[in-house]
């Protein structure tokens, strides 16, 4: 059963339709001309961004907001190399995207042809897998394989490099049967014996802590996590990538742990006797100095990627599997064992909960306000108020990202979109574009710093052209704030190349693109300005001038132990 | 510490790059690498000897097993395995030492593959240490030139890789 004769470009679109793709973020060029010609009257929507890097970020935003595979497209040479940052970002955060790149004709490959680059070689290390399609008949199998690899197991980016003559060649679309990847192993179920042992360990713990991360969100296992937490009544932290995995307003939720995590979360991790690590990778920003990380704890580590087990911290009980399936089975066992085992250490765990509660009360994560200037935390608190735990917030990278992670509530998964592992500045705005296309029903904030915003200003055109109602909120402190904070704290306040002068006037800038913008700097104006921003039916650029020297606290200095947090700036000594 | 890794992988463009890239990205130096296809022309067998910190050996194997093109990566450093290397050695031999050289070659199970008035080319297979000794012995007879293949390993025992010769016989090829 084959379809009519078509060229490679149309065949590619046929594959994309069968994969359920509705929307591609891309930028055309010489060798992708046949593909763009086929797209001209095709129902798949192509979103024209203004830079290929942002196509990759937008595809990530789409994928992060939905869990579906995001698709981006670029031409050969510079188009493909511009995708690289987005690919690495997707790799670090395990985000399923498929990147389609054009390549010079097969006969020209290796001849230093115009706009030729070794895309396959360049992207080898920044993709989960990549392909160079040299024959048209391979195209359908490769594309379907690419989507399968991107979305299955531990998700990640996959790149398919397609030469121009493959786009132009004529052939029939042959439906692809089962995908044959003899070397691709996905372990989903989890070892039954290990799960049984885990259940035992869980009920035998006195100071347990659930350490849940991006894996919960990737596996759509939020419900199972909530069930686990409610069944056991254990306290839980969500990592930066896991925010929203457990609703922020859930009584068992503590906050984010790590370098800028809360006192309660870090002290909880440090003093725990059992860490239940679910879809996390013991990132250095979470663990601090490894030797002093959760030194008294036994570790149960559930991850779909066997290479994560023992990569950083050797677990006492590893379970390789899909955290959703593992939690389903574990919850069932825990419920069975509960009547018998729960009472054993219930009193100790109650005491533990009280201890955590007292840490929470001692050092709460609370916004800071001032009468004279807008504190950045004040702005973030405003976003939280208007979101009510339901809006999508796409952050850039830096101080604002940390304040948002601390103070904005996320009551659902896939609301908090940020570049966690790579920390790629310029991510916020384009990812918001992708998220808004994916979720037109949602209020989408692009919360960006004045540094990251200026990396992605070209995308204002995309936002204007598609009339996307993205709320761009610039937390403008006039500095590369996080770098400035480190220069202040660790480099004797020698502020080297971190001052961002000449920020454009928001009203004029947005006006130049045909939408509304405004700058606020007075605390009492902020509330109304934020409401105006949110109530505007179209896009809005709100530039908020905040106090320039605010630092993010609590802070675990690099290489420090997580129980040795710096809670705030040094206080003046009273006489 | 040197680690010997045996891999069974898909015989596809770029597969070798993925494996070696994984090592070079971590700054590990590859001591030797051999690769050839198996009876099944879709698959290749590779043996890598690489200098890896002992604590990271397991992680390297896991990362290799994660590669889509790799069917199985096994650490055979301490596992039961047979490890062999091919050495070709050219020695410039004086008339009076020719007989002695041939005797030495015989001791090492070597085979003369080229002989001229200048000297010999001798082929020896064996474990690396044995070949080192052979090189030392030959050096004492005069100028030498050495080409080594690098180790190729076959794991034994319970850690299963499909037991196949690395190169198909002609009859087998005809069948494929």
């Amino acid at each position: 059963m084959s379809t009519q004769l078509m060229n490679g470009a149309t065949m590619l679109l046929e594959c994309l339709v069968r994969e359920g793709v509705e929307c591609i973020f891309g930028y055309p060029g010489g060798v992708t001309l046949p593909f763009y010609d086929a797209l001209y009257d095709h129902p798949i929507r192509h979103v024209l961004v203004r830079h290929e890097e942002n196509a990759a970020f937008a595809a990530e935003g789409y994928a992060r907001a939905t869990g579906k595979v995001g698709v981006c497209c670029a031409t050969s040479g510079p188009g493909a190399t511009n995708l690289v940052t987005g690919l690495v970002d997707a790799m670090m955060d395990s985000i399923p995207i498929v990147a389609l790149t054009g390549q010079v004709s097969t006969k020209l490959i290796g001849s230093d042809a115009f706009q030729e680059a070794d895309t396959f070689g360049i992207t080898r290390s920044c993709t989960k897998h990549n392909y160079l399609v040299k024959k048209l008949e391979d195209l359908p199998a490769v594309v379907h394989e690419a989507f399968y690899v991107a979305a299955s197991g531990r998700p990640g980016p996959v790149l398919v490099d397609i030469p121009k003559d493959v786009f132009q060649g004529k052939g029939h679309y042959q439906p692809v049967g089962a995908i044959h990847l003899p070397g691709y192993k996905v372990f989903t179920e989890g070892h039954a014996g290990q799960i049984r042992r885990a259940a035992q360990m869980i009920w035998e713990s006195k100071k347990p802590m659930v350490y849940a991360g991006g894996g919960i969100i990737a596996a759509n296992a939020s419900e199972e996590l909530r069930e686990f937490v409610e069944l056991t009544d254990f306290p839980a932290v969500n990592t930066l990538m896991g925010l929203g995995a457990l609703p922020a307003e859930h009584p068992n939720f503590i906050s984010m742990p790590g370098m800028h995590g809360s006192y309660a979360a870090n002290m909880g991790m440090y003093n725990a006797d059992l860490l239940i690590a679910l879809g996390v990778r013991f990132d250095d920003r979470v663990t601090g100095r490894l030797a002093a990380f959760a030194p008294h704890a036994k570790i149960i580590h559930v991850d779909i990627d066997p290479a994560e087990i023992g990569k950083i911290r050797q677990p006492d009980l590893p379970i390789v599997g899909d955290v959703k399936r593992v939690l389903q089975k574990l919850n069932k066992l825990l419920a069975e064992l509960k009547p018998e085992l729960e009472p054993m250490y219930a009193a100790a765990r109650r005491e533990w909960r009280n201890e955590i509660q007292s840490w929470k009360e001692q050092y709460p994560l609370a916004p800071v306000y001032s009468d004279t200037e807008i504190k950045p935390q004040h702005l973030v608190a405003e976003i939280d108020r208007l979101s009510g735990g339901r809006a999508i917030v796409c952050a850039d990278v830096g101080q604002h990202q940390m304040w948002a992670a601390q103070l904005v509530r996320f009551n659902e998964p896939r609301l908090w979109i940020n570049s966690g592992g790579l920390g790629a500045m310029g991510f916020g705005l384009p990812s918001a574009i992708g998220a808004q296309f994916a979720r037109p029903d949602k209020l989408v904030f692009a919360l960006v710093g004045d540094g990251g915003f200026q990396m992605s200003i070209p995308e204002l055109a995309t936002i204007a052209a598609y009339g996307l109602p993205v709320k761009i909120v610039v937390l403008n402190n006039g500095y590369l704030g996080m770098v400035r904070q480190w220069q202040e704290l660790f480099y004797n306040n020698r502020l080297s190349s971190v001052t961002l002068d000449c920020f454009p006037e928001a009203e004029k800038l947005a006006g130049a693109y045909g939408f509304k913008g405004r700058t606020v700097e007075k605390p009492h104006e902020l509330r109304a300005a934020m409401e105006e921003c949110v109530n505007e039916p179209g896009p809005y650029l709100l530039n908020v001038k905040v106090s320039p020297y605010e630092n993010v606290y609590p802070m675990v200095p690099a290489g420090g132990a997580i129980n040795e947090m710096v809670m705030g700036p040094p206080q003046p000594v009273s006489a | 510490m040197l680690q010997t890794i045996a891999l069974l992988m898909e015989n596809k463009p770029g597969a070798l790059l993925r494996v070696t890239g994984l090592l070079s990205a971590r700054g590990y130096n590859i001591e030797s690498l051999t690769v050839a296809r198996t009876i099944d022309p879709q698959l290749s067998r590779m043996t890598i000897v690489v200098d890896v910190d002992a604590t990271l050996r397991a992680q390297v194997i896991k990362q290799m097993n994660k590669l889509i093109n790799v069917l199985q990566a096994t650490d055979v450093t301490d596992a039961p395995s047979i490890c062999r290397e091919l050495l070709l050695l050219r020695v410039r031999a004086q008339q009076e030492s020719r007989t002695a050289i041939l005797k030495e070659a015989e001791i090492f199970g070597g085979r003369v593959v080229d002989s001229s008035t200048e000297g010999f080319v001798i082929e020896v297979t064996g474990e690396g240490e044995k070949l080192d000794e052979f090189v030392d012995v030959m050096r004492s007879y005069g100028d030498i030139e050495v080409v080594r293949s690098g180790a190729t390993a076959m794991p034994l025992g319970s850690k299963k890789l499909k037991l196949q010769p690395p190169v198909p016989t002609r009859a087998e090829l005809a069948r494929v």
Side-chain angles (χ1 to χ4, degrees):
Chain A
M1 189 197 76
S2 66
T3 50
Q4 72 219 48
L5 193 68
M6 57 178 85
N7 71 8
T10 309
M11 200 182 289
L12 174 58
L13 286 170
E14 177 70 31
C15 300
L16 298 182
V17 167
R18 284 167 192 255
E19 291 294 341
V21 174
E22 291 162 350
C23 176
I24 304 175
F25 303 90
Y27 205 92
V31 298
T32 51
L33 276 167
F35 180 61
Y36 276 82
D37 186 61
L39 263 175
Y40 180 75
D41 46 9
H42 194 276
I44 288 183
R45 181 174 207 183
H46 179 270
V47 176
L48 178 65
V49 294
R50 295 299 186 269
H51 190 285
E52 289 90 347
E53 179 180 298
N54 298 328
F57 285 154
E60 273 197 88
Y62 184 94
R64 288 171 194 251
T66 57
K68 294 201 287 188
V69 177
V71 183
C72 59
C73 166
T75 191
S76 63
T81 55
N82 280 342
L83 288 179
V84 166
T85 307
L87 294 172
V88 183
D89 192 70
M91 189 75 173
M92 290 289 269
D93 287 349
S94 307
I95 304 301
I97 63 171
V98 167
L100 306 166
T101 53
Q103 181 55 275
V104 300
S105 288
T106 45
K107 281 194 293 294
L108 291 174
I109 291 178
S111 72
D112 301 329
F114 177 64
Q115 292 197 326
E116 182 186 357
D118 173 16
T119 305
F120 182 75
I122 290 167
T123 60
R124 193 266 312 153
S125 64
C126 46
T127 51
K128 183 173 171 186
H129 199 58
N130 62 356
Y131 300 87
L132 169 62
V133 183
K134 292 190 83 176
K135 290 189 297 244
L136 178 58
E137 62 259 38
D138 296 341
L139 186 69
V142 164
V143 175
H144 293 307
E145 217 172 277
F147 276 84
Y148 173 70
V149 170
S152 58
R154 180 178 182 170
V158 178
L159 181 137
V160 183
D161 199 25
I162 306 166
K164 189 176 188 180
D165 54 333
V166 173
F167 277 132
Q168 287 168 324
K170 291 266 197 312
H172 295 277
Y173 175 86
Q174 302 285 354
V176 177
I179 286 168
H180 177 65
L181 287 167
Y184 186 49
K185 313 147 197 90
V186 180
F187 309 93
T188 54
E189 290 306 304
H191 189 277
Q194 294 288 83
I195 294 174
R196 185 162 289 279
R197 278 184 278 277
Q200 194 77 24
M201 275 171 81
I202 284 165
W203 284 131
E204 282 170 5
S205 67
K206 296 180 184 138
K207 296 178 167 188
M209 177 64 81
V210 178
Y211 163 30
I216 296 284
I217 291 173
N220 294 319
S222 292
E223 269 313 304
E224 287 76 6
L225 175 65
R226 181 211 283 263
E227 201 180 311
F228 176 89
V229 165
E230 287 173 359
L231 192 62
T232 55
D233 199 22
F234 285 2
V237 297
N238 285 165
T239 66
L240 181 67
M241 286 305 297
L243 290 174
L246 191 67
E249 286 170 283
H250 195 283
N252 293 56
F253 177 65
I254 301 174
S255 72
M256 176 177 80
M259 182 174 271
H260 294 298
S262 73
Y263 185 76
N266 280 340
M267 291 304 280
M269 297 275 263
Y270 183 82
N271 290 292
D273 72 346
L274 177 69
L275 275 191
I276 303 134
L278 305 169
V280 293
R281 58 184 178 86
F282 294 82
D283 184 77
D284 58 276
R285 286 300 192 262
V286 169
T287 63
R289 180 154 42 85
L290 203 55
F293 174 71
H296 319 293
K298 287 192 168 171
I299 312 257
I300 297 172
H301 191 180
V302 183
D303 205 289
I304 197 158
D305 179 1
E308 281 306 327
I309 306 291
K311 185 182 83 175
I312 305 292
R313 170 83 178 252
Q314 200 60 46
D316 298 87
L317 189 90
I319 301 175
V320 176
D322 180 340
V323 71
K324 188 182 180 83
R325 295 288 301 134
V326 172
L327 276 179
Q328 282 168 351
K329 293 178 184 176
L330 186 58
N331 288 344
K332 195 159 164 274
L333 269 174
L334 286 170
E336 278 170 25
L337 295 171
K338 187 171 181 174
E340 181 196 346
L341 295 179
E342 196 207 16
M344 195 165 35
Y345 295 114
R349 284 197 293 268
R350 242 190 324 274
E351 208 172 293
W352 171 238
R353 283 291 301 278
N354 291 339
E355 200 173 0
I356 290 173
Q357 191 54 37
S358 71
W359 287 326
K360 248 175 142 170
E361 283 158 16
Q362 197 180 351
Y363 294 106
L365 286 175
V368 186
Y369 299 98
S370 148
D371 292 334
T372 51
E373 52 183 7
I374 301 175
K375 290 282 182 186
Q377 299 93 329
H378 179 188
L379 169 61
V380 171
E382 272 297 300
I383 288 185
D384 174 60
R385 180 179 69 83
L386 291 164
S387 154
R390 298 274 175 246
I392 292 179
V393 178
C394 299
D396 214 86
V397 172
Q399 287 184 315
H400 70 278
Q401 177 193 20
M402 291 300 113
W403 281 313
Q406 290 177 342
L407 299 173
V408 180
R409 289 161 299 160
F410 298 101
N411 286 334
E412 298 163 24
R414 304 198 179 281
L415 294 180
W416 169 241
I417 292 176
N418 83 132
S419 169
L422 189 64
M425 280 178 67
F427 173 88
L429 191 54
S431 65
I433 292 174
Q436 187 75 80
F437 269 108
R439 297 295 307 270
D441 56 314
K442 280 278 186 190
L443 172 62
V444 175
F445 286 101
L447 173 62
V448 295
D450 45 330
F453 173 70
Q454 289 184 82
M455 284 192 178
S456 38
I457 277 184
E459 296 310 323
L460 293 178
T462 312
I463 287 174
Y466 292 91
L468 292 176
V470 173
K471 307 304 168 194
I472 307 158
V473 179
V474 183
L475 186 143
N476 189 339
N477 53 15
Y479 285 102
L480 289 169
M482 191 58 96
V483 182
R484 189 207 51 76
Q485 174 170 346
W486 283 55
Q487 288 181 345
E488 177 195 326
L489 297 177
F490 309 115
Y491 291 87
N492 294 321
N493 204 27
R494 285 153 57 92
L495 302 188
S496 179
S497 297
V498 287
T499 315
L500 295 171
D501 293 329
C502 300
F503 191 83
E505 265 183 53
E507 196 172 347
K508 284 188 190 168
L509 179 64
Y513 288 99
F515 61 89
K516 280 193 192 163
R518 168 178 181 191
T519 299
V520 281
E521 42 190 328
K522 301 248 162 26
H524 64 271
E525 292 172 343
L526 182 61
R527 191 184 180 102
M530 282 296 295
E531 276 164 15
E532 184 187 325
C533 168
V534 170
N535 293 332
E536 171 71 22
Y540 198 102
L541 173 64
L542 185 65
N543 176 33
V544 185
K545 289 200 168 167
V546 299
S547 32
Y549 299 115
E550 197 70 23
N551 288 341
V552 185
Y553 292 109
M555 179 177 189
V556 179
I562 55 166
N563 63 329
E564 296 161 358
M565 281 158 282
V566 181
M567 297 311 297
Q571 298 297 317
V573 183
S574 53
Chain B
M1 189 196 138
L2 289 184
Q3 178 182 17
T4 307
I5 303 166
L7 292 112
L8 183 65
M9 55 205 269
E10 288 185 276
N11 182 12
K12 282 190 175 169
L16 172 69
L17 178 74
R18 292 180 207 281
V19 174
T20 56
L22 206 148
L23 297 168
S24 66
R26 290 163 173 75
Y28 301 149
N29 190 44
I30 294 172
E31 293 292 323
S32 81
L33 186 154
T34 62
V35 60
R37 68 177 180 189
T38 62
I39 320 175
D40 179 350
Q42 315 250 1
L43 299 179
S44 297
R45 203 70 98 65
M46 180 159 35
T47 305
I48 310 178
V49 179
V50 59
D51 196 357
V52 174
D53 190 283
T55 57
L56 295 169
R57 276 167 55 183
Q59 178 61 207
V60 165
I61 296 291
K62 282 180 177 177
Q63 292 291 345
M64 286 186 173
N65 274 313
K66 239 173 101 168
L67 295 171
I68 310 269
N69 291 145
V70 172
L71 275 71
Q72 191 175 29
T74 316
D75 186 350
V76 295
T77 316
D78 303 316
S81 64
I82 296 171
C83 190
R84 289 289 180 273
E85 189 176 349
L86 168 72
L87 171 139
L88 294 173
L89 179 142
R90 187 154 71 172
V91 56
R92 198 187 296 276
Q94 307 294 326
Q95 264 319 319
E96 59 274 20
S97 57
R98 285 178 76 97
T99 321
I101 287 173
L102 290 175
K103 276 247 162 69
E104 293 286 4
E106 206 182 324
I107 292 168
F108 282 89
R111 207 157 63 88
V112 175
V113 287
D114 185 67
S115 169
S116 68
T117 51
E118 295 283 302
F120 300 108
V121 177
I122 302 165
E123 170 196 306
V124 190
T125 58
E127 286 179 32
E129 276 175 36
K130 183 182 129 181
L131 301 186
D132 292 342
E133 283 169 29
F134 181 66
V135 170
D136 284 344
V137 168
M138 284 296 140
R139 197 177 269 137
S140 65
Y141 288 98
D143 295 342
I144 57 169
E145 188 184 331
V146 176
V147 180
R148 295 175 75 149
S149 67
T152 190
M154 175 177 275
L156 300 173
S158 60
K159 285 193 173 178
K160 67 161 175 26
L161 277 180
K162 288 182 204 164
L163 287 173
Q164 294 165 333
V167 178
T169 62
R170 201 169 298 159
E172 282 160 347
L173 268 184
R175 232 179 351 166
V176 177

